Amino acid sequence: MASQTLREARKYEEMAEAQIPQEARPAFHLSPRAGWMNDPNGFSWYQGMYHMFYQYHPYSSYWGPMHWGHAVSRDLLHWEYLPAALAPDMPYDKDGCFSGSALELADGRQMLMYTGVLHEPQPDGSFHEIQTQCIALGDGRDYEKLPENPVLTEKALPEGGSRYDFRDPKAWLGEDGRYYCVAGNCTGDKDGQILLYSSADGLHWQYEGILAKNNGRFGRMWECPDFFELDGKHVLLTSPQDMLPRGFEYHNGNGTLCLIGSYEKEGHVFTEEHDQSIDYGIDFYAPQTVLTPDGRRVMIGWMQNWDTCNMRSQPKTWFGQMSLPRELSVREGRLYQKPVRELEELRRNKVEYHGVKVAGEALRLAGIEGRTVDMELEIAPAQGRELYRKFAVRFAQDQERHTAISFRPHESILKIDRKFSGSRRAIIHQRRSLVRHEGGALRLRIVLDRFSAEVFVWDGEQVLTATIDTPLSADGISFYADGEAVLDVVKYDLM
């Protein structure tokens, strides 16, 4: 039986959704039914559908008491909203149902495992968030919270583990038939660690140990972990807070981290071999993955940035969207990401050019335009000429506005820049990435969906993601080179 709090949220979101025209939303990225969206939660396959839950405040387009929104899809691109799944309506979660995960139990029920938040008053009049792990069980639409909640409390923390920063459980079924989950935590001095738990039935959990420790390397508190096997390696994804840049890695403050290594299952020992950012753009955080029925590991992240999300030029009826679903692989010890293959089913109206000389003034090509676009570029230096100094592609363009991707081969720097996109706020508008090139040759794939751009370098060796707020009437695309470059371009509309 849904609580009054949940019934009110469901009634409100249904009314509010009807006020948002479809053309005001992304075409194939999931946005909130109404109000505010942040972290993806419970990304799972259940009863023939992909389920995506999300951190959700239906009553305004700003962060508020966290609910769980809910949507389902058959192809990861077309989403149908279901009623909100969770609301903060119990003594242990009355101040928020924070992030978590979902899986199917042996009896066929879908389990949601989430972080319950309770504000505890302190002697000085301030409040601390007490964070515990809780469970709700349901049928893919309606869920009942366990009477035994919370199932993991401070009693299940290692010595020195903070009960104020203990959140975001990601659960899975192990090959041995046991259930496992990882959760983010930190020590009293805010140094991040990932904790591992196990369960025989998915309902009663026990502490196994510390899977990974920060030791002061990557920011502070580690949020939103995910842990899985991929291409013979084990991969730990997490989103550290307060990161410091290291060269061209980890520039986002609240950013993303991928650790690749080996895992000894007997002793639950994860040995790191490689670290990297997950996304090198401006807007990407808190990714979560699902194993698809055909065996692919697919990841979706929140396509936003905590440092810019409250600085907006205009009021909005909704805010926040998810990234394009990305198929993951590990190649030569590095994480690769590419758009899910289902995206190619949306391609229409192919336009193709080969060997186009780009030099000096901005070049427009007939048929190359639009705001829902899948575009593949191959850039090369002109034969027998000096290496070009800069190449740029500008999109979401009109007389006043554009967003740009530019590449300087002498520095090996790829930059995404939205300072001319129409923003009236001094938010983060640029991000640079060190990329590989072959004598000035570079391959890019740019996916545009109305209010976002995702740039895949060398078939997903690196990805740069950014949201844009440019009016949809700005649909021009142009190319520019300082020096002389040669361009091959294949462009599709995404319908």
Side-chain angles (χ1 to χ4, degrees):
M1 178 84 179
S3 68
Q4 180 67 20
T5 305
L6 183 56
R7 289 198 303 271
E8 289 175 358
R10 288 178 164 187
K11 183 178 179 180
Y12 181 86
E13 67 177 356
E14 186 175 1
M15 178 274 295
E17 178 198 3
Q19 311 302 312
I20 304 171
Q22 278 301 110
E23 59 270 19
R25 293 183 178 278
F28 48 89
H29 290 71
L30 178 62
S31 58
R33 190 172 186 183
W36 164 278
M37 164 192 280
N38 60 286
D39 305 357
N41 297 160
F43 190 19
S44 54
W45 174 262
Y46 181 69
Q47 293 185 347
M49 302 283 280
Y50 293 103
H51 288 250
M52 176 61 80
F53 305 84
Y54 52 90
Q55 291 287 273
Y56 184 38
H57 185 229
Y59 299 110
S60 86
S61 61
Y62 290 86
W63 192 96
M66 284 291 96
H67 298 56
W68 273 34
H70 191 188
V72 293
S73 175
R74 295 191 185 278
D75 65 358
L76 296 164
L77 299 169
H78 298 88
W79 293 92
E80 174 192 350
Y81 294 115
L82 294 184
L86 298 176
D89 53 16
M90 300 298 287
Y92 51 81
D93 67 12
K94 70 181 184 66
D95 293 303
C97 299
F98 278 20
S99 291
S101 54
L103 55 75
E104 183 174 357
L105 296 180
D107 62 9
R109 291 180 294 178
Q110 190 178 34
M111 180 196 78
L112 310 185
M113 191 173 189
Y114 69 98
T115 299
V117 176
L118 171 65
H119 289 164
E120 180 185 71
Q122 303 299 304
D124 63 0
S126 64
F127 289 85
H128 271 322
E129 290 182 349
I130 306 302
Q131 300 182 349
T132 57
Q133 312 320 311
C134 310
I135 284 175
L137 300 175
D139 60 2
R141 184 181 182 93
D142 298 298
Y143 301 86
E144 292 285 338
K145 296 176 182 177
L146 278 192
E148 299 85 358
N149 275 342
V151 298
L152 285 172
T153 69
E154 60 186 294
K155 295 177 182 177
L157 290 171
E159 184 178 355
S162 169
R163 66 189 186 125
Y164 307 125
D165 290 293
F166 174 36
R167 55 185 176 269
D168 312 334
K170 175 64 194 294
W172 71 94
L173 178 63
E175 294 177 354
D176 58 1
R178 287 184 67 81
Y179 298 94
Y180 292 88
C181 87
V182 284
N185 185 234
C186 66
T187 60
D189 60 355
K190 291 284 188 180
D191 198 29
Q193 56 190 10
I194 302 300
L195 309 181
L196 180 68
Y197 297 88
S198 75
S199 171
D201 60 3
L203 305 177
H204 302 87
W205 292 83
Q206 67 186 45
Y207 173 69
E208 294 289 350
I210 298 174
L211 182 69
K213 293 177 71 73
N214 183 29
N215 295 320
R217 296 172 297 158
F218 307 106
R220 293 176 175 166
M221 170 65 187
W222 284 7
E223 297 193 301
C224 304
D226 199 346
F227 187 59
F228 49 88
E229 189 172 3
L230 182 64
D231 297 330
K233 293 294 183 180
H234 272 80
V235 178
L236 176 63
L237 308 180
T238 187
S239 295
Q241 297 179 327
D242 302 320
M243 299 181 85
L244 289 172
R246 181 195 297 172
F248 285 91
E249 297 278 350
Y250 314 124
H251 278 225
N252 273 20
N254 294 304
T256 55
L257 172 66
C258 171
L259 298 173
I260 298 174
S262 60
Y263 179 55
E264 177 52 59
K265 295 179 181 179
E266 293 300 317
H268 302 301
V269 176
F270 175 61
T271 302
E272 300 169 20
E273 298 168 2
H274 170 73
D275 67 85
Q276 65 177 90
S277 298
I278 301 171
D279 194 281
Y280 292 81
I282 302 170
D283 295 305
F284 191 86
Y285 195 72
Q288 195 170 95
T289 72
V290 68
L291 188 62
T292 67
D294 60 3
R296 292 173 289 160
R297 179 64 61 172
V298 172
M299 177 184 73
I300 289 180
W302 180 43
M303 197 158 51
Q304 255 310 320
N305 180 321
W306 283 116
D307 293 319
T308 65
C309 61
N310 290 320
M311 301 175 71
R312 309 178 200 164
S313 298
Q314 299 131 13
K316 290 184 175 294
T317 52
W318 64 270
F319 186 81
Q321 54 183 310
M322 296 304 178
S323 74
L324 200 62
R326 303 171 184 180
E327 296 181 21
L328 303 184
S329 59
V330 173
R331 295 185 230 164
E332 299 177 347
R334 181 176 181 86
L335 185 73
Y336 277 69
Q337 309 163 53
K338 62 180 182 181
V340 284
R341 60 197 66 173
E342 287 85 346
L343 187 68
E344 294 171 20
E345 299 298 316
L346 306 187
R347 287 174 164 180
R348 302 288 187 275
N349 307 327
K350 181 179 181 181
V351 179
E352 191 169 5
Y353 291 87
H354 292 281
V356 176
K357 185 174 77 170
V358 185
E361 295 183 2
L363 175 69
R364 299 284 296 268
L365 297 173
I368 306 288
E369 60 188 13
R371 288 287 287 273
T372 51
V373 165
D374 190 352
M375 183 167 61
E376 298 172 348
L377 307 177
E378 293 201 18
I379 305 141
Q383 194 168 16
R385 303 296 296 270
E386 184 181 348
L387 180 62
Y388 64 90
R389 290 170 291 281
K390 175 183 175 181
F391 178 90
V393 52
R394 296 167 180 159
F395 49 85
Q397 184 175 23
D398 60 15
Q399 293 298 317
E400 298 177 346
R401 292 163 290 218
H402 68 265
T403 296
I405 297 291
S406 62
F407 176 58
R408 295 181 181 273
H410 292 286
E411 302 169 10
S412 300
I413 297 296
L414 185 71
K415 180 172 73 172
I416 191 162
D417 185 348
R418 64 181 180 193
K419 65 177 175 288
F420 295 113
S421 66
S423 171
R424 298 177 185 272
R425 294 289 179 269
I427 62 175
I428 299 165
H429 287 317
Q430 300 179 7
R431 189 73 74 209
R432 298 185 302 160
S433 180
L434 192 66
V435 300
R436 177 176 62 86
H437 68 97
E438 298 173 353
L442 184 68
R443 188 163 65 245
L444 304 175
R445 181 177 176 185
I446 301 173
V447 179
L448 307 180
D449 183 6
R450 291 183 180 158
F451 310 109
S452 65
E454 289 163 276
V455 181
F456 298 82
V457 185
W458 291 120
D459 301 315
E461 186 174 312
Q462 286 164 276
V463 189
L464 291 84
T465 300
T467 57
I468 56 176
D469 200 22
T470 313
L472 295 180
S473 57
D475 64 355
I477 297 174
S478 66
F479 307 96
Y480 165 83
D482 180 1
E484 187 173 319
V486 176
L487 172 68
D488 294 346
V489 55
V490 181
K491 174 256 182 184
Y492 302 88
D493 294 322
L494 293 172
M495 311 293 281

